[in-house]
Amino acid sequence: MLKTKHMLACLGLMLAASFAAAQAVQTSGTLVIVPATGEVKHANDEANLTFMIEEQDKDKAAAASRVNQKMKQGMEILKRADPQAVLSTHGYYTYAVYPDEQPQPRSNGKLRQPSGWRVGQYLEMKTGNLQSLPKTVAAAQRVLALNGLRFGLSEATAKQLDAQRIDATYKNLTERIASIAKAMGRNPADAVLDTVDFEGSGNYAPQAFAAKTMRAAVADAAPVEEPSFEPGETTLDMRVVGKVRFR
């Protein structure tokens, strides 16, 4: 019994000594690296759409003519429905279509002949008129196929939010510095901010998407019900690293 009490007493003394040593650790001149983040959210106010048209015919010229005509019609519809929209065409393609045949011996020497041609083109549209977007898309879908849709923030809105994003990030940095000072047993006023390194994370950058080739079944004059869209919101974030030295 006496031996057990002696061991417990020794253990208590050792813990007390360790605690005292920890309390005696000097933090003057300590350099602390403090990461922090900040973010702001805002409703999306811009839409980027991809339309396409594709035609297939035994006559390459006939397929190309129908594509050219329908793309022109689709652009005219979009311009009437949304005069402020920015349109740009891209990705014009022409592919040979071959029949499904059994493999022939190489000694045959005959070249495969195409059974037809597939011709298509893509159209990009950028607009801030989200209120009329369903109606605009439905009108265009009478001629063109909707191949992609992405909502985001306009450049003007993103610039306006930049100051708020910086404020939120710096506020988080000062809060973390105060918490670290408290954990070290120091007064936050003793912390001297030596360096602040703002780094844009890039996570909010919209990812470029490739338009996939697909066959569009288009009815020239058939009415199309309006689609439903929810623009959602975008989060802009920022990362900062601060170097803090305690006096």
Side-chain angles (χ1 to χ4, degrees):
M1 179 66 75
L2 292 174
K3 186 176 180 180
T4 301
K5 290 183 177 180
H6 179 71
M7 291 177 63
L8 291 174
C10 290
L11 181 60
L13 291 173
M14 291 174 62
L15 292 174
S18 298
F19 180 75
Q23 290 294 95
V25 172
Q26 295 297 318
T27 56
S28 297
T30 300
L31 180 64
V32 181
I33 308 300
V34 185
T37 58
E39 65 178 33
V40 293
K41 295 183 179 182
H42 193 279
N44 291 324
D45 61 350
E46 185 175 87
N48 290 271
L49 305 93
T50 302
F51 294 95
M52 70 164 294
I53 182 65
E54 181 178 284
E55 291 288 334
Q56 186 170 326
D57 199 287
K58 292 182 179 180
D59 185 349
K60 181 168 59 174
S65 293
R66 290 201 300 271
V67 166
N68 298 344
Q69 181 183 25
K70 291 182 179 181
M71 179 58 71
K72 182 179 180 180
Q73 292 175 353
M75 292 179 64
E76 290 174 350
I77 291 173
L78 290 171
K79 288 178 180 179
R80 288 196 300 269
D82 190 350
Q84 303 302 319
V86 178
L87 304 178
S88 60
T89 57
H90 71 96
Y92 200 108
Y93 60 87
T94 304
Y95 297 129
V97 178
Y98 295 93
D100 295 331
E101 297 177 345
Q102 295 296 326
Q104 300 294 326
R106 291 182 178 274
S107 59
N108 194 330
K110 294 183 179 179
L111 296 176
R112 296 181 65 197
Q113 297 298 319
S115 60
W117 296 88
R118 191 173 62 183
V119 182
Q121 188 178 16
Y122 292 95
L123 172 65
E124 298 287 343
M125 173 182 173
K126 181 168 68 173
T127 179
N129 188 0
L130 303 188
Q131 185 175 1
S132 300
L133 188 61
K135 183 178 180 180
T136 300
V137 171
Q141 284 180 311
R142 297 177 62 184
V143 180
L144 305 176
L146 179 63
N147 185 245
L149 171 63
R150 176 173 50 84
F151 290 103
L153 297 178
S154 65
E155 183 178 352
T157 300
K159 287 182 178 179
Q160 292 176 0
L161 294 174
D162 194 50
Q164 297 179 30
R165 185 162 53 107
I166 293 174
D167 288 343
T169 306
Y170 190 77
K171 180 180 179 181
N172 182 250
L173 176 63
T174 56
E175 290 173 347
R176 300 198 73 183
I177 291 174
S179 297
I180 291 172
K182 182 179 179 181
M184 295 174 63
R186 299 297 303 270
N187 189 326
D190 294 335
V192 179
L193 195 55
D194 181 75
T195 303
V196 178
D197 181 16
F198 282 93
E199 298 177 352
S201 67
N203 293 333
Y204 56 86
Q207 300 296 321
F209 58 96
K212 297 180 179 179
T213 301
M214 58 177 289
R215 185 168 299 176
V218 180
D220 291 338
V224 178
E225 292 295 327
E226 293 184 9
S228 299
F229 298 132
E230 288 295 337
E233 63 181 15
T234 292
T235 298
L236 299 180
D237 55 16
M238 177 175 284
R239 181 173 180 267
V240 65
V241 176
K243 294 183 179 180
V244 180
R245 193 178 300 276
F246 286 92
R247 289 194 287 260

